[in-house]
């Protein structure tokens, strides 16, 4: 999905529309004769301390991967792609965020790659493993199904509970605005940030996706009376749904709105004949309720210069993860003060 033509065009169109002079894309390609057999869409990012080659749209992407023709040797093609990038593009480090275990890129990583953070997980619900949604639903623990049913009954005694699949562009724009606003407010309250929410341009980018000819957006909204209980939106690609941004009403946390909503989302995807729901990182209890498995996710660095090796070891592997762990051990009120001091909404650099 995040190496698809639709995603690349969406990034390209957005960066071009805002006249981003810093946007420096490189497309690394491998041919057998005249036939294209591998591709690695990248962009060069200049920071104050290093030049980094990263996947195109890295700030907004959920997955880093390489594209390899199905009949080719994946490991060999990926090695060619990485070697071509190393020898033709002047940079200190190749940095791949959110590389999934078993993916084409992961299989072809060179021996000198460095995992810079602890392994994360991406829960996935493989709907195609079951003859119908009912069979898939029966794999959820009976007690969980009962709790969800009881929660629905309690909510419906107060007001109607309705789930909507949102395909209409104007409604999608409103959904995107609500979910981003909700997520941003939640991060501020917790004194947290992310690479996407750390840039001023994320909301504009998300809005630009609605109606894009090569990137189908799908939205889901669970409404309780006049209130939005839980919502999310993402992309449909290759017969799979990729969740992108989700939000929920934390005042109703006792009713597990996220867990309840995923029941609706997975059923809607099954009704549309989709093979899977990719729920993305991080691993959360409400996602695990519906996941059939969890894929390991890694941040990978390939240092190319002495500067690159030093910064990867000192910053990416040691200092940054330890600083993050230290900050996360502090109370949210203290984290909020830290984020305000450092200017939370300034664009982040890798």
């Amino acid at each position: 999905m995040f190496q698809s033509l639709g995603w690349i065009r969406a990034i390209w169109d957005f960066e071009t529309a805002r006249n981003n002079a810093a946007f420096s894309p490189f497309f690394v390609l491998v041919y057998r004769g005249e036939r294209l057999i591998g591709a690695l869409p990248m962009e060069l990012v200049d920071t104050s301390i290093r030049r980094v080659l990263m996947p195109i749209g890295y700030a907004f992407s959920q997955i880093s991967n390489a594209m390899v023709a199905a009949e080719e040797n994946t490991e060999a093609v990926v090695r060619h792609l990485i070697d071509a990038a190393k020898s033709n593009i002047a940079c200190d480090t190749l940095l791949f965020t959110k590389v999934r275990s078993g993916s084409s890129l992961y299989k072809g990583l060179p021996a000198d790659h460095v995992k810079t953070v602890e392994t994360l997980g991406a829960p996935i619900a493989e709907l195609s493993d079951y003859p119908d949604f009912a069979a898939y639903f029966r794999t959820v623990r009976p007690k969980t199904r009962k709790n969800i049913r009881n929660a629905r009954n309690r909510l419906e005694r107060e007001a109607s509970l309705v789930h909507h699949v949102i395909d209409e562009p104007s409604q999608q724009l409103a959904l995107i605005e609500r979910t981003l606003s909700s997520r941003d407010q939640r991060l501020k309250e917790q004194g947290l940030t992310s690479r996407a929410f750390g840039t001023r341009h994320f909301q504009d980018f998300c809005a630009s996706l609605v109606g894009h000819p090569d990137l189908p957006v799908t939205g889901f909204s669970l409404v309780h009376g006049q209130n939005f209980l839980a919502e999310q939106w993402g992309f449909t690609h290759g017969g799979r749904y990729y969740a992108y941004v989700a939000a929920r009403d934390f005042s109703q946390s006792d009713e597990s709105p996220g867990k309840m909503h995923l029941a609706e989302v997975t059923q809607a995807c099954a009704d549309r004949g989709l093979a899977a729901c990719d729920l993305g990182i991080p691993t959360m209890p409400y996602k695990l309720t519906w996941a059939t498995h969890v894929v390991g996710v890694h941040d990978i660095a390939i240092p190319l210069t002495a500067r690159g090796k030093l910064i990867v070891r000192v910053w990416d592997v040691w200092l940054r993860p330890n600083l993050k762990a230290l900050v996360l051990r502090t109370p949210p009120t203290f984290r909020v003060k830290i984020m305000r001091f450092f200017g939370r909404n300034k664009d982040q650099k890798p």
Side-chain angles (χ1 to χ4, degrees):
M1 159 62 218
F2 295 97
Q3 289 71 45
S4 68
L5 176 62
W7 177 258
I8 293 168
R9 283 196 61 182
I11 294 291
W12 186 285
D13 292 345
F14 177 71
E15 299 294 3
T16 301
R18 71 185 184 101
N19 297 313
N20 182 8
F23 180 56
S24 182
F26 287 86
F27 295 90
V28 187
L29 308 175
V30 172
Y31 288 84
R32 184 182 298 283
E34 295 183 354
R35 187 169 62 90
L36 180 65
I37 62 171
L40 194 61
M42 305 288 283
E43 63 174 288
L44 189 63
V45 182
D46 269 309
T47 75
S48 59
I49 59 174
R50 62 178 172 178
R51 286 164 59 87
V52 186
L53 193 63
M54 301 188 71
I56 194 167
Y58 69 93
F60 308 140
S61 178
Q62 295 280 10
I63 302 171
S64 292
N65 204 357
M67 294 177 285
V68 180
E71 66 277 9
E72 295 291 332
N73 181 300
T74 298
E75 182 176 340
V77 173
V78 172
R79 292 292 174 87
H80 278 300
L81 288 167
I82 291 176
D83 288 345
K86 290 164 63 175
S87 59
N88 288 280
I89 306 170
C91 63
D92 297 301
T93 307
L94 272 64
L95 195 58
F96 298 101
T97 57
K98 305 181 183 73
V99 180
R100 296 193 171 192
S101 297
S103 66
S104 298
L105 180 57
Y106 191 82
K107 291 177 181 177
L109 289 172
D112 63 347
H113 77 271
V114 179
K115 291 183 180 178
T116 62
V117 297
E118 64 182 60
T119 301
L120 302 173
I124 299 174
E126 292 287 353
L127 303 175
S128 61
D129 289 345
Y130 304 91
D132 51 35
F133 180 79
Y136 160 75
F137 190 73
R138 285 195 295 271
T139 65
V140 178
R141 293 173 54 199
K143 184 178 180 181
T144 300
R145 300 201 303 267
K146 180 181 178 181
N147 289 341
I148 291 174
R149 185 168 60 250
N150 290 340
R152 289 189 66 95
N153 290 337
R154 285 193 296 271
L155 289 169
E156 287 178 335
R157 282 196 290 269
E158 300 171 0
S160 62
L161 189 64
V162 183
H163 184 249
H164 303 278
V165 179
I166 300 175
D167 293 314
E168 201 278 321
S170 65
Q171 294 181 19
Q172 288 183 347
L173 281 171
L175 168 65
I176 288 172
E177 184 176 347
R178 287 194 302 271
T179 54
L180 292 181
S181 176
S182 176
R183 284 289 300 277
D184 189 52
Q185 183 61 36
R186 181 66 177 174
L187 288 170
K188 287 179 179 177
E189 291 170 356
Q190 296 296 308
L192 301 174
T193 188
S194 69
R195 180 171 278 122
F197 282 90
T199 172
R200 299 183 299 269
H201 307 290
F202 186 46
Q203 183 161 348
D204 292 338
F205 170 71
C206 291
S208 75
L209 300 174
V210 174
H212 197 283
D214 299 310
L215 198 63
V217 172
T218 304
F220 305 94
S221 182
L222 184 61
V223 183
H224 181 226
Q226 301 298 315
N227 300 318
F228 297 100
L229 187 65
E231 298 186 289
Q232 69 168 259
W233 59 277
F235 311 102
T236 302
H237 175 76
R240 302 169 75 88
Y241 167 69
Y242 293 83
Y244 194 58
V245 177
R248 65 183 186 274
D249 182 356
F250 283 92
S251 69
Q252 295 282 4
S253 292
D254 290 345
E255 305 296 359
S256 300
K259 188 180 297 184
M260 188 185 304
H261 189 214
L262 277 187
E264 302 285 356
V265 171
T266 51
Q267 180 161 13
C269 289
D271 291 344
R272 292 190 167 200
L274 299 181
C277 293
D278 190 318
L279 305 178
I281 60 171
T283 300
M284 302 287 285
Y286 80 97
K287 294 181 184 180
L288 293 177
T289 297
W290 303 100
T292 56
H293 65 287
V294 177
V295 177
V297 181
H298 321 271
D299 283 0
I300 304 292
I302 304 173
L304 307 181
T305 65
R307 177 195 294 268
K309 292 176 183 178
L310 178 63
I311 295 173
V312 165
R313 290 297 178 184
V314 173
W315 172 248
D316 295 301
V317 174
W318 181 69
L319 188 56
R320 183 177 183 273
N322 282 292
L323 283 174
K324 181 179 179 180
L326 178 63
V327 169
L328 289 177
R329 286 197 294 268
T330 63
T333 52
F334 181 72
R335 294 199 299 265
V336 169
K337 293 178 181 178
I338 293 177
M339 290 300 175
R340 287 175 180 169
F341 178 79
F342 284 105
R344 179 180 178 275
N345 290 322
K346 292 181 180 178
D347 285 356
Q348 296 180 347
K349 292 290 186 180

